[in-house]
Amino acid sequence: MRFKLIIANWKMNGSFQFLDEILKNFGVETQFGGTDQVVICPPYIYLPEMSNRLVKSPIQLGAQNLSDYSEGAYTGEISAEMLLDTGCNYVIVGHSERRALFNESNDLVARKAERAIKAGLTAVVCVGETLEQRQQGVTEQIIAEQLAPVLAILGLEANSDKLVIAYEPVWAIGTGETATPEQAQNVHAFIRAQLGQGLKDVPLLYGGSVKPGNAAELFAEKDIDGGLIGGASLVAEDFLSICRAMPA
Ligand code: PGA
């Protein structure tokens, strides 16, 4: 079933002191407007502590990455099974920072998504074009290329319960420049069409400089089911007001 979802991506930010501060502000919060599910993705190292602290909270836990292997001699890697063991239900896969800075290919992203879903995690697969690609008019082609291996591996009839797609235009991430609701909706409608009937209930999130001031107009679009929030998720009040901006 399609549902409304907001995910906090802390990226490489935070500390134990920061956990104290941010959870004091909304760790026991239960009023998230029309948002059905709130997920926080801190750095790996804070997952066990967050898991303990969120026991009584409806907030779910996610990771920002995972290995495409399940165990063995892969120094420095973290498996889907370990994330489940730590209390995660979600994992972000193929964030544009990982694609650009850590050379993650479309195929690797698809393998990670498969690994996550097979293990029982919900994979939040990120797609999005650069500014140059948008200016060249190849946005849809780029998104289709990013989605193709994921859909090939999972199959169009896959269990949509464990898949979320986040559209994050690279030019909007951390820049303060947000896609207009119309630009975002157009790409979301394209993604929805690519997913087809078998995956019609997959939640589609928008990410890229979502703030309390622009969240409501983005979430009002018919194919936008929520947001993947970076910078604004580090400020408890802002994150909460973004969650509450979701229409019922
Ligand atoms: P931003 O990041 O909200 O800071 O633009 C979004 C993301 O990278 O997921």
Side-chain angles (χ1 to χ4, degrees):
M1 211 184 56
R2 214 168 134 184
F3 61 99
K4 308 277 182 71
L5 172 68
I6 307 258
I7 302 180
N9 174 13
W10 285 7
K11 308 192 179 183
M12 201 173 72
N13 294 293
S15 60
F16 283 110
Q17 191 188 335
F18 178 75
L19 299 193
D20 282 341
E21 286 161 17
I22 199 149
L23 292 177
K24 185 170 68 205
N25 288 310
F26 71 89
V28 290
E29 191 56 64
T30 54
Q31 302 301 312
F32 300 111
T35 303
D36 299 309
Q37 185 75 80
V38 176
V39 180
I40 299 184
C41 302
Y44 285 141
I45 196 101
Y46 301 117
L47 288 169
E49 180 67 19
M50 282 289 275
S51 179
N52 288 337
R53 294 191 190 210
L54 292 175
V55 165
K56 295 206 180 82
S57 161
I59 297 172
Q60 303 278 308
L61 199 57
Q64 300 172 15
N65 183 29
L66 82 164
S67 171
D68 58 324
Y69 296 103
S70 56
E71 66 176 345
Y74 303 104
T75 303
E77 291 290 276
I78 303 278
S79 70
E81 288 75 8
M82 292 169 186
L83 296 180
L84 284 162
D85 212 11
T86 316
C88 286
N89 296 320
Y90 287 80
V91 62
I92 299 170
V93 182
H95 187 280
S96 68
E97 287 151 16
R98 296 216 56 87
R99 292 176 186 265
L101 304 172
F102 302 97
N103 297 321
E104 293 201 3
S105 65
N106 291 342
D107 286 339
L108 176 60
V109 170
R111 287 202 304 279
K112 289 187 173 192
E114 181 186 31
R115 195 79 276 300
I117 292 173
K118 281 205 170 139
L121 291 162
T122 295
V124 181
V125 177
C126 301
V127 296
E129 81 288 2
T130 62
L131 183 58
E132 202 185 4
Q133 290 163 338
R134 174 160 283 265
Q135 285 165 347
Q136 287 167 354
V138 294
T139 297
E140 291 188 352
Q141 183 193 322
I142 294 296
I143 306 279
E145 283 169 11
Q146 291 171 335
L147 280 177
V150 176
L151 299 181
I153 281 182
L154 300 181
L156 280 173
E157 303 305 320
N159 182 352
S160 58
D161 284 4
K162 295 283 179 206
L163 181 65
V164 172
I165 308 280
Y167 167 55
E168 298 206 302
V170 178
W171 48 271
I173 296 177
T175 59
E177 192 180 335
T178 319
T180 64
E182 193 191 355
Q183 283 173 323
Q185 167 57 30
N186 286 344
V187 178
H188 278 233
F190 174 76
I191 294 172
R192 185 113 26 227
Q194 297 281 302
L195 295 178
Q197 202 50 27
L199 294 173
K200 70 177 173 28
D201 289 335
V202 167
L204 303 186
L205 312 184
Y206 168 79
S209 297
V210 178
K211 301 177 267 250
N214 60 23
E217 55 178 12
L218 286 160
F219 299 160
E221 294 293 339
K222 80 173 173 35
D223 286 303
I224 301 184
D225 302 311
L228 180 52
I229 320 298
S233 74
L234 298 170
V235 181
E237 265 172 41
D238 287 358
F239 185 60
L240 204 48
S241 63
I242 290 170
C243 294
R244 289 179 179 154
M246 185 72 76

